[in-house]
Amino acid sequence: MSSLLAVVVAGVLWGTGGLSGALLGRLAHLDPLAVATYRLAGGGLTLLVVLSGTGRLVGLAGTGLPGLRRVLAVGLLAALYQGCYFAAVGLTNVAVATPIALGAAPVLVLGVEAWSGRRRPSGESLAAIGLAVLGLVLLVGLPGTGTGGVRLYAGVLLALVTAAGFAALTLLGRRPVVGLDISSTVGLGFAVGAVPLAATSAFTGGLGFAPSAAALGVLGYLAVVPTALAYALYFAGLRGVAASSASVVALLEPVTAAVLAVTLLGEHLGPAEAVGAALLCLAALVANLGPARLRPHGLGHR
């Protein structure tokens, strides 16, 4: 699978995560932070079990301190942006938190790439980010006016932290650790990241629920498809796609979520939302035009 196709598939699979996560919360009566905890823990453990069963699990003993630091960084960053996003949604709403969190991430990645490479962003990159931000606003909606001042500012700040966490994770994926492969890093990192989320969720409603067949089925899907598989594909795709381009392509997530909401839930997609979805798809295409793609360095995990 090509690098670009891997990132595209990851973005589409992420789009099914919102629907399955919301369904899990409804079936198991779990709050969003508990759902995020189960998502990271389930996705990480799924990868570790599969890798162990196929003899492909890479231990940290051979990678030393760099490998340990990478796994801890992936875990803490994943826990950071998952937890901050759901907290931002709780303080504001989806229409406020989502455009900020998703729209700011590629801007931050592009800024860091331009600064570290001592070069101006390409016209394609700037156009892609502009299209992505406009598309998000149209698809998700403009912020309402009913949120209190302090809660709004706190929610916006947490949404920006979410964007910074995902941007840092994307940029980190371009710096390989020799001997540590992608899937092992994601599996170990997500398992580590679930620990602080589980500790925090103990104060917000806990993790307990009555396990029905439907809830366990949805939990299994959430862990395997939009988490273990999608993140493994995303990090693998960073081998041949610039981090800024990958972060823009990842915005296919809300497009997929909107399509699923229309086809499976019978929701209506108005003209503005349809234009927004089209602009996000166009942004993903523009992000991969031109010669601005960065090439990876070295071997191993990103």
Side-chain angles (χ1 to χ4, degrees):
M1 181 180 292
S2 70
S3 298
L4 177 58
L5 181 58
V7 174
V8 169
V9 173
V12 172
L13 294 181
W14 280 336
T16 70
L19 180 62
S20 54
L23 183 57
L24 176 62
R26 185 181 307 172
L27 291 172
H29 304 289
L30 294 170
D31 64 29
L33 188 58
V35 172
T37 303
Y38 279 117
R39 179 178 187 175
L40 276 190
L45 291 176
T46 296
L47 277 173
L48 294 179
V49 169
V50 171
L51 292 172
S52 179
T54 57
R56 295 166 47 214
L57 180 61
V58 176
L60 296 178
T63 62
L65 190 57
L68 178 61
R69 284 201 300 257
R70 174 57 56 86
V71 167
L72 290 175
V74 168
L76 292 177
L77 285 173
L80 175 70
Y81 77 75
Q82 290 275 353
C84 286
Y85 173 72
F86 286 116
V89 170
L91 288 172
T92 57
N93 53 53
V94 173
V96 174
T98 302
I100 295 173
L102 292 179
V107 176
L108 292 173
V109 171
L110 182 63
V112 172
E113 282 189 337
W115 175 80
S116 61
R118 301 294 191 273
R119 59 181 175 80
R120 292 183 178 180
S122 67
E124 292 88 351
S125 297
L126 293 175
I129 289 176
L131 289 169
V133 172
L134 178 58
L136 276 173
V137 171
L138 290 174
L139 180 61
V140 181
L142 292 171
T145 57
T147 305
V150 176
R151 289 176 61 88
L152 175 61
Y153 289 129
V156 168
L157 178 60
L158 287 171
L160 289 174
V161 174
T162 302
F166 183 76
L169 192 62
T170 297
L171 290 166
L172 191 68
R174 296 200 58 82
R175 296 162 51 192
V177 173
V178 176
L180 191 59
D181 68 81
I182 297 166
S183 297
S184 296
T185 305
V186 175
L188 292 168
F190 279 13
V192 169
V195 175
L197 283 182
T200 304
S201 65
F203 299 97
T204 63
L207 299 174
F209 70 96
S212 64
L216 291 177
V218 174
L219 175 57
Y221 176 86
L222 180 64
V224 174
V225 179
T227 308
L229 179 58
Y231 277 98
L233 286 172
Y234 181 73
F235 283 115
L238 285 175
R239 287 179 174 178
V241 178
S244 55
S245 297
S247 60
V248 172
V249 174
L251 295 179
L252 290 173
E253 174 185 355
V255 177
T256 305
V259 171
L260 289 176
V262 171
T263 56
L264 298 182
L265 303 180
E267 295 185 6
H268 176 67
L269 195 64
E273 290 89 346
V275 172
L279 288 177
L280 282 174
C281 293
L282 181 60
L285 176 63
V286 172
N288 290 279
L289 296 177
R293 190 170 298 177
L294 295 181
R295 296 300 175 190
H297 312 286
L299 301 171
H301 173 66
R302 34 210 42 296

